[in-house]
Amino acid sequence: MRGRLLLLSGSGLAGYAAVQAKMRPLHLVWDLDNTLLLSLTPLEKGVTATKMVSPARYFDQIDDDFPAADGTANTRTTFRPGAKAVLQFLGLFCTQHVFTAAQGSYTQNILQRLDPDASIFASVTHRDLVPHHDHDKRASVGKDLSVMLNVAYLPARAILFDDRVANFTPQRDNGLHVRSYDDVNRIDWEMARLCFIASLAFLSPDVRPVLQFFRSSQHQARLFESDSKSTRDTNPE
């Protein structure tokens, strides 16, 4: 009897998940640098850092934000542990995108390794398409998800994974602050944590209550600062 109940509950959950994936898809938007990977320039710095890292996790490229002599690679890019596996798993029931402040050529170099057959990411947005405040003072602060997603999915069915809380400014309740990937030799389980959170959010009608439980202190401080400023602007002394 207990086995039948477990089977029925499992079937019911699978059915619910299938309906969610089709009728109300969850959109996961990924930053690149210090979220899914770490790029080190000059190349010598990357070579030194990755002496104990499996070659399957890194590749060398030209980052044209920096000088490169005679077309020689100047940057080593290392993928975060578990990044590829988690992206492939989440792609089974979520729609995924890239939103990066990097330039188009650099982004393309990474996607050729991370998603060579374009099966993981439904769209890719970089600073050549949408200016970012890091590189264009005229640009608004943050990454505005409305430039890449239908408003029907905002704000209930979208998450931005990013290591910088300033990028959550346009949709502040849809961001999930990622622990910065800045050491390729550190034991790192962050992708497993993000996978767990995304799976919970997928089952929820609205991702925002789920994300509240996982806000970092830095994200909370940013929200408090924003709320305080709004109060001062609304009620000037």
Side-chain angles (χ1 to χ4, degrees), residues 87-99:
L87 289 172
Q88 290 172 347
F89 171 73
L90 291 175
L92 297 175
F93 53 92
C94 299
T95 302
Q96 301 185 101
H97 311 264
V98 168
F99 199 161

Side-chain angles (χ1 to χ4, degrees), residues 157-172:
R157 302 297 291 166
I159 302 173
L160 171 60
F161 294 105
D162 205 301
D163 67 297
R164 299 175 58 196
V165 297
N167 285 327
F168 304 146
T169 301
Q171 290 89 20
R172 65 182 208 164

Side-chain angles (χ1 to χ4, degrees), residues 5-233:
L5 289 174
L6 288 173
L7 182 61
L8 287 173
S9 62
S11 299
L13 183 60
Y16 175 76
V19 171
Q20 281 281 82
K22 185 175 181 179
M23 303 300 295
R24 302 187 72 245
L26 176 60
H27 290 262
L28 305 178
V29 183
W30 295 92
D31 172 50
L32 291 180
D33 288 284
N34 298 107
T35 295
L36 292 176
L37 53 91
L38 173 63
S39 287
L40 295 175
T41 308
L43 182 63
E44 293 73 20
K45 183 179 180 181
V47 170
T48 300
T50 55
K51 285 182 177 179
M52 303 300 292
V53 176
S54 167
R57 280 183 48 211
Y58 63 74
F59 72 98
D60 298 336
Q61 63 162 313
I62 295 176
D63 181 347
D64 54 22
D65 270 353
F66 303 93
D70 302 322
T72 303
N74 62 358
T75 299
R76 176 158 291 185
T77 297
T78 305
F79 291 109
R80 191 168 208 149
K84 294 181 181 180
V86 166
L87 289 172
Q88 290 172 347
F89 171 73
L90 291 175
L92 297 175
F93 53 92
C94 299
T95 302
Q96 301 185 101
H97 311 264
V98 168
F99 199 161
T100 176
Q103 73 275 33
S105 57
Y106 172 87
T107 302
Q108 186 59 36
N109 290 342
I110 290 168
L111 293 179
Q112 287 175 356
R113 299 298 184 111
L114 187 59
D115 188 18
D117 57 358
S119 62
I120 296 177
F121 300 114
S123 72
V124 177
T125 302
H126 47 73
R127 74 167 189 250
D128 296 343
L129 299 174
V130 177
H132 189 267
H133 65 270
D134 279 351
H135 303 275
D136 188 339
K137 294 181 179 180
R138 296 168 297 177
S140 299
V141 174
K143 297 178 178 179
D144 187 352
L145 301 183
S146 68
V147 305
M148 62 191 309
L149 298 180
N150 188 307
V151 292
Y153 302 122
L154 291 172
R157 302 297 291 166
I159 302 173
L160 171 60
F161 294 105
D162 205 301
D163 67 297
R164 299 175 58 196
V165 297
N167 285 327
F168 304 146
T169 301
Q171 290 89 20
R172 65 182 208 164
D173 295 320
N174 289 86
L176 196 287
H177 189 203
V178 177
R179 182 184 182 188
S180 180
Y181 183 50
D182 51 22
D183 183 352
V184 299
N185 295 294
R186 182 181 65 209
I187 295 175
D188 188 285
W189 294 96
E190 184 69 353
M191 290 305 301
R193 184 180 79 95
L194 302 182
C195 184
F196 173 71
I197 295 171
S199 299
L200 285 180
F202 172 78
L203 296 173
S204 174
D206 190 330
V207 303
R208 290 169 293 175
V210 175
L211 297 182
Q212 286 180 4
F213 286 103
F214 300 97
R215 279 185 187 150
S216 68
S217 57
Q218 189 177 343
H219 192 179
Q220 291 281 20
R222 181 86 179 191
L223 293 176
F224 178 78
E225 179 184 344
S226 176
D227 289 341
S228 297
K229 184 179 183 302
S230 296
T231 300
R232 291 194 301 269
D233 292 343

